[in-house]
């Protein structure tokens, strides 16, 4: 492959329809102001300009999109991809294949209609993807993906095709279970509600809800039932709402996770999913930074868990972009999860049997923050309102203490020469672990309570940890043990190279 | 300092394998910086509280609150400066901080991504520097030590950066 022919590869352009998708993307960004202008800006003295304004704006966007198509070129080199774009402000970007951590292929319904796909190349860190190719013909996109997978060496036609082994695929029944345990519906409803509140002007939403509530209340008071019936009706209404939300969750899960398949090809994991809009994303096995196994209450009822991974790929803060490969198993039985981990981390020992438990009698330290908070709340309430109702939050304490005891009973950690693992939670349980090679920094900390009790806690930092995953944080260790572990780990880390 | 350290990887640059204090001349600077940082919230809080409790004039109480905050901040800053210790041994860089909440952070040499050496005008006047060690981590993505002696900081940077040269095929 080191022939000069490969050096002189021609520059390529995106798909001729790509301007349409760029336009759609830009319209999506401006859709709210444009709509608002069209719907609510009409009338008034300068009605003509408000009418023609959106048209001009769309026209400008079309011109920009077409320009982008004509100025965007890419070349598939031997070691990397080079991308040239821009007209007035030009840029040339060289992306070595070895730096690409993740390749994402995304197809919405519109993409599928045109037989194209959006390709996104991601490297570690940073806020934006290395390159976003909007859009390529599907077969070109797949070819580019496999080229990057093989680090620029075009897969030989004569070589036996390496079959990707399927590691996990979810049948529809599992996807329905996934919908049942997830709160997707609620999140979507909340988001829709918030958006409606923002977009529609002048208390329209608030007025609407007020009217609705008044009608409902009027209807209820018209019926003149006793309070028991009213309470029953309220409960029934709540039940109905939660059933509807679950149903919405199931529908969303079906749309997002239908045809979920996780496969492995040459140490690279590829995940495909989606009913209408399809997503295909892949990550090299060694790029996995940390693992989280989670079992919520509903999941436990169904005897399922989910397995997520952290990758060092850029994720825009606050933007819930579910494109990077984060979920290895959205839902699976504990055995399947464990088998998956064993397969992907063959040297590590999983599931662990010898968990180091927390020292006995530390449950009150888990309970302490709640105690302080509730105490302050009660003080403030009784001080301000001068009634005994201010003591109501105290009722939370026994439950919280019980939860703390249960959590302390289940919390633990396990460290060997390959893996650091912690477990915790009670109502909703988690196991989090990372290879020692993937640890980045250590921190030993002692709060005033820690110093009094002769304990310490150890923070282990990994790359790409999101705020949602529980931190790798071993708490309430006896100080000698913590110091020993800390120096042992820091010694081990210094000896080992970081492998991305 | 000798430049050859950065060029010849074989010659070991001096390690500081026991805990090092920050130079005492930086205490003033640390106190000043912290005084400003603490005074501002104190000004706002005292003005707000005096309005809320309808006690005194905010125009009088805010500067008083600010002065109290500045004094408290300066005291805290000097204390914290005194309690900041660092060391560099064969495992990497370690930093100890705080008395009430004690933390000890460690960045192994093999995990250093890149280094920043910063010198503000005041720090330059005192021959001090701030060293920022970047890792690929999340919570500890940047470990920053301000008030280091300028030459120590340069030595630390050279020593920690040398590992990066060895590692250039890490990807």
């Amino acid at each position: 492959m080191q022939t000069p022919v490969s050096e002189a590869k021609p520059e390529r352009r995106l798909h001729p329809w790509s301007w349409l998708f760029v336009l759609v993307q830009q319209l999506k960004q401006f859709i709210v102001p444009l709509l608002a202008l069209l719907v609510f800006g009409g009338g008034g003295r300068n009605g003509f300009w408000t009418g023609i304004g959106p048209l001009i704006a769309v026209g400008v966007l079309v011109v920009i999109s077409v320009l982008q198509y004509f100025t965007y070129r890419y070349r598939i080199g031997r070691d990397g991809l080079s991308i040239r774009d821009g007209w007035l402000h030009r840029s040339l970007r060289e992306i070595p294949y070895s730096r690409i951590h993740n390749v994402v292929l995304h197809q919405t319904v519109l993409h599928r209609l045109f037989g194209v796909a959006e390709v996104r190349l991601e490297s570690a860190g940073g806020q934006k993807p290395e390159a976003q190719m909007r859009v390529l013909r599907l077969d070109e996109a797949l070819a580019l993906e496999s080229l990057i997978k093989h680090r620029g060496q075009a897969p030989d036609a004569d070589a036996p095709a390496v079959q990707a082994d399927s590691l996990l695929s979810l049948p529809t029944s599992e996807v329905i279970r996934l919908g049942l345990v997830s709160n997707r519906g609620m999140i979507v409803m909340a988001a829709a509600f918030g958006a409606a509140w923002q977009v529609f002007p002048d208390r329209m939403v608030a007025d609407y809800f007020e009217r609705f509530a008044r009608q409902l209340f009027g209807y209820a008071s018209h019926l003149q039932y006793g309070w028991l019936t009213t309470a029953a009706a309220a409960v029934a209404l709540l039940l109905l709402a939660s059933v509807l939300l679950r149903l919405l969750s199931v529908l969303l899960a079906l749309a997002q996770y239908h045809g979920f398949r996780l496969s492995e090809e040459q140490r690279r994991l590829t995940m495909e999913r989606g009913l209408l809009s399809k997503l295909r994303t892949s990550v090299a096995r060694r790029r996995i930074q940390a693992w989280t196994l989670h079992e919520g209450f509903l999941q436990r009822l169904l005897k399922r868990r989910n397995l997520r991974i952290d990758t060092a790929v850029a994720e825009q803060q606050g933007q819930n972009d579910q494109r990077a490969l984060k979920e290895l198993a959205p839902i699976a039985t504990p055995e399947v999860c464990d088998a998956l981990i064993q397969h992907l981390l063959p040297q590590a020992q999983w599931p662990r049997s010898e968990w180091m438990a927390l020292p006995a009698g530390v449950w009150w330290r888990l309970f302490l923050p709640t105690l302080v908070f509730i105490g302050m709340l009660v003080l403030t309430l009784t001080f301000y309102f001068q009634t005994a109702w201010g003591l109501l939050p105290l009722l939370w304490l026994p439950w919280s203490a019980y939860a703390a005891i249960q959590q302390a009973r289940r919390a633990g950690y396990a460290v060997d020469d390959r893996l650091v693992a912690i477990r915790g939670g009670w109502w909703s349980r988690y196991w989090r672990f990372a290879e020692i090679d993937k640890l980045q920094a250590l921190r030993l900390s002692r709060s005033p309570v820690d110093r009094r009790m002769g304990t310490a806690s150890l923070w282990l930092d990994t790359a790409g940890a999101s705020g949602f995953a529980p931190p790798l944080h071993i708490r309430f260790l006896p100080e000698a043990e913590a110091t020993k572990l800390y120096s042992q780990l820091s010694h081990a880390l210094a000896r080992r190279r970081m492998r991305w | 300092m000798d430049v050859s350290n950065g060029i010849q990887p074989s010659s070991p640059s001096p390690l500081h394998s026991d805990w090092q204090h920050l130079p005492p001349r930086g205490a003033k600077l640390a106190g000043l910086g912290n005084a400003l940082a603490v005074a501002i919230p104190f000004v706002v809080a005292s003005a707000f509280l005096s309005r809320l409790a309808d006690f005194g004039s905010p125009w009088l109480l805010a500067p008083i609150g600010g002065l109290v905050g500045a004094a408290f901040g300066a005291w805290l800053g000097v204390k914290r400066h005194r309690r900041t210790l660092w060391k560099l041994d064969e495992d990497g860089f370690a930093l100890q901080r705080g008395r009430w909440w004690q933390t000890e952070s460690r960045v192994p040499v093999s995990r250093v991504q890149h280094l920043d050496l910063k010198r503000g005008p005041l720090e330059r006047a005192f021959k001090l520097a701030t060293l920022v060690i970047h890792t690929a981590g999340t919570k500890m993505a940047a470990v920053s030590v301000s008030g280091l002696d300028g030459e120590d900081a340069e030595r630390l940077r050279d020593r920690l950066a040398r590992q990066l040269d060895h590692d250039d095929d890490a990807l």
Side-chain angles (χ1 to χ4, degrees), chain A residues 94-328:
Chain A
E94 301 273 355
I95 312 168
Y97 295 126
S98 55
R99 294 290 163 105
I100 297 173
H101 276 210
N102 193 2
V103 186
V104 183
L105 249 67
H106 185 234
Q107 277 191 301
T108 63
V109 180
L110 190 63
H111 286 107
R112 287 172 71 184
L113 223 57
F114 281 86
V116 294
E118 190 181 310
V119 181
R120 215 161 65 154
L121 310 176
E122 319 220 45
S123 66
Q127 290 293 309
K128 281 203 293 192
E130 279 298 324
Q132 189 150 25
M133 302 167 98
R134 193 179 277 141
V135 293
L136 291 181
R137 217 171 58 213
L138 186 58
D139 55 340
E140 280 180 5
L142 287 171
L144 183 65
E145 189 202 22
S146 92
L147 194 76
I148 291 167
K149 269 188 194 170
H150 300 92
R151 294 224 171 175
Q153 302 162 24
D156 305 328
D158 47 325
V162 184
Q163 267 302 311
D165 356 332
S166 175
L167 295 181
L168 179 73
S169 52
L170 294 185
T172 309
S173 58
E174 287 292 300
V175 177
I176 290 174
R177 282 198 185 97
L178 175 64
L180 284 177
V181 300
S182 79
N183 288 323
R184 271 162 242 275
M186 215 179 291
I187 294 167
V188 166
M189 277 311 283
F193 191 69
W197 206 280
Q198 260 184 2
V199 170
F200 295 105
D202 301 339
R203 293 185 39 82
M204 214 157 117
V205 181
D207 286 348
Y208 176 75
F209 273 96
E210 214 175 293
R211 219 166 39 231
F212 179 69
R214 205 168 286 155
Q215 270 175 10
L216 203 67
F217 186 72
Y219 178 68
S221 61
H222 168 75
L223 292 178
Q224 289 186 337
Y225 288 134
W227 66 270
L228 198 69
T229 335
T230 316
V235 169
L237 213 63
L238 274 178
L239 273 179
L240 184 71
S242 61
V243 165
L244 282 179
L245 278 179
R246 289 288 141 184
L247 203 65
L248 184 61
S249 291
V250 169
L251 287 179
L252 282 170
L254 277 174
Q256 285 179 346
Y257 286 91
H258 178 263
F260 179 95
R261 199 168 84 94
L262 181 75
S263 57
E264 184 187 32
E265 182 190 355
Q266 291 192 337
R267 309 180 135 259
R268 225 185 147 79
L269 297 172
T270 303
M271 182 267 285
E272 293 168 277
R273 62 178 169 85
L275 179 65
L276 296 174
S277 82
K278 288 199 171 189
L279 181 67
R280 182 184 157 95
T281 162
S282 73
V283 67
R285 204 161 82 181
R286 66 196 181 93
R287 310 277 202 212
I288 298 175
Q289 307 289 330
W291 309 64
T292 315
L293 198 56
H294 180 258
E295 182 188 79
F297 176 66
L298 284 174
Q299 281 167 318
R300 187 155 56 249
L301 287 185
L302 296 177
K303 295 199 173 52
R304 294 291 186 277
R305 284 179 187 167
N306 92 29
L307 178 63
R308 298 173 68 88
I309 52 169
D310 291 344
T311 53
V313 164
E315 187 88 346
Q316 269 177 337
Q317 287 296 312
Q319 206 173 334
N320 194 10
D321 209 353
Q322 301 197 334
R323 290 193 181 179
L325 209 176
K326 295 227 168 262
E327 285 179 307
L328 285 191

Side-chain angles (χ1 to χ4, degrees), chain A residues 462-483:
Chain A
T462 56
S466 75
F468 299 112
L472 268 172
H473 180 196
I474 309 176
R475 300 173 77 184
F476 313 138
L477 275 176
E479 196 168 335
E481 203 177 314
T483 320

